[in-house]
Amino acid sequence: MGEKVLVVEDEPTLLETLEYNLTRQGYAVCTATDGLQALEMARRERPDMIVLDIMLPGLDGFEVCRILRREMSVP
């Protein structure tokens, strides 16, 4: 597998579509469906890139981004 991508999306159909297409392009994909889960997955998996939805349950995407920017440098 290639680089690891974390996809954070609470809409199941969109999450599955992104995961499917990124996997077909050779990326290793991990997923999260809310802000807190996104933080946990990013810290544990150390992805090379994060695709982050803004409107999430719990912590919104902006807050997740602010927290992760303080902890790591990932696009």
Side-chain angles (χ1 to χ4, degrees), residues 38-57:
L39 290 175
E40 178 184 315
M41 290 294 290
R43 290 169 178 152
R44 184 176 65 230
E45 298 293 329
R46 307 300 290 186
D48 298 297
M49 181 175 72
I50 300 173
V51 178
L52 179 62
D53 185 17
I54 298 302
M55 307 258 314
L56 293 169

Side-chain angles (χ1 to χ4, degrees), residues 9-11 14 19 27-28 33 36 55 66 70-71 75:
E9 174 59 60
D10 61 327
E11 173 98 22
L14 185 52
E19 182 178 18
Y27 294 98
T33 57
L36 292 175
M55 307 258 314
R66 278 190 279 276
R70 289 191 299 259
E71 297 179 10

Side-chain angles (χ1 to χ4, degrees), residues 3-23:
E3 294 181 324
K4 189 180 302 183
V5 178
L6 170 59
V7 178
V8 185
E9 174 59 60
D10 61 327
E11 173 98 22
T13 303
L14 185 52
L15 179 64
E16 290 172 14
T17 301
L18 288 167
E19 182 178 18
Y20 173 79
N21 284 302
L22 287 167
T23 300

